[in-house]
Amino acid sequence: MSKAGWILALALTTGAALAEDARISFPSDYKSSFTNYLNLDRVQNDDQIIHLFANDIALEAAQAGKELPNGSVLVGEIYAAKKDNEGKVQKSSLGLRIRDKLAAVAVMQKEEGWGATFPDGLRNGDWDFAIFSPDGKRLEKDLNACRQCHAPLADTQHLFSLEHMAR
């Protein structure tokens, strides 16, 4: 493929990936209707903490040792870690980051055929991603970084925390 053809293909793929972002709605009732199954320092970011929630559909399948079905929704509340006056992340006596303000709400949702719109390096089965502000407004963000990070996790259904849901 020529350089111009490759650039056009990349632009079309990226455009398609960005166009799909709006198909996930903010689950405004997640705090009351989902289960908070894990809270931890976020391993991908040295200055964040994440609280993970799952809907009943996802939890029941995980606890039964089954594949999470379409309709599974996971929510990650992403908090900034508290920093001192020098900008260093503060940690508790347990060595864990101290939570500050809620920065964003990440959502993963699985629906039939959603993965077909993405190339191999961005495909996560039929999962897709969205990021919202704490008040539920969609953030304009290229979600391909999320897709790329989760894509290699096929053995755990593209999730970092599947074993925590299964307990």
Side-chain angles (χ1 to χ4, degrees), residues 18-96:
L18 294 173
E20 301 297 339
D21 296 348
R23 63 184 168 192
I24 295 176
S25 298
F26 182 73
S28 58
D29 65 342
Y30 75 90
K31 284 192 179 192
S32 61
S33 63
F34 288 23
T35 300
N36 175 217
Y37 68 92
L38 184 63
N39 302 321
L40 70 156
D41 290 352
R42 194 159 182 231
V43 294
Q44 298 92 336
N45 299 84
D46 293 338
D47 61 352
Q48 294 179 345
I49 297 151
I50 191 163
H51 291 191
L52 296 170
F53 298 78
N55 66 359
D56 289 343
I57 294 168
L59 279 177
E60 289 170 9
Q63 290 169 355
K66 297 181 180 177
E67 181 176 341
L68 278 60
N70 295 332
S72 293
V73 181
L74 306 178
V75 173
E77 290 181 333
I78 301 170
Y79 291 88
K82 196 170 194 173
K83 295 181 180 178
D84 64 19
N85 292 338
E86 296 175 3
K88 293 181 184 175
V89 171
Q90 293 184 338
K91 294 189 177 183
S92 71
S93 58
L94 297 172
L96 301 173

Side-chain angles (χ1 to χ4, degrees), residues 106-125:
V107 179
M108 279 183 75
Q109 185 171 335
K110 184 178 181 183
E111 297 295 343
E112 181 70 32
W114 278 12
T117 59
F118 301 109
D120 287 341
L122 300 176
R123 190 172 301 133
N124 287 270

Side-chain angles (χ1 to χ4, degrees), residues 110-142:
K110 184 178 181 183
E111 297 295 343
E112 181 70 32
W114 278 12
T117 59
F118 301 109
D120 287 341
L122 300 176
R123 190 172 301 133
N124 287 270
D126 281 330
W127 290 99
D128 202 3
F129 303 82
I131 305 260
F132 299 90
S133 66
D135 62 357
K137 292 180 183 155
R138 186 176 308 280
L139 296 177
E140 297 298 322
K141 177 177 167 68
D142 179 1

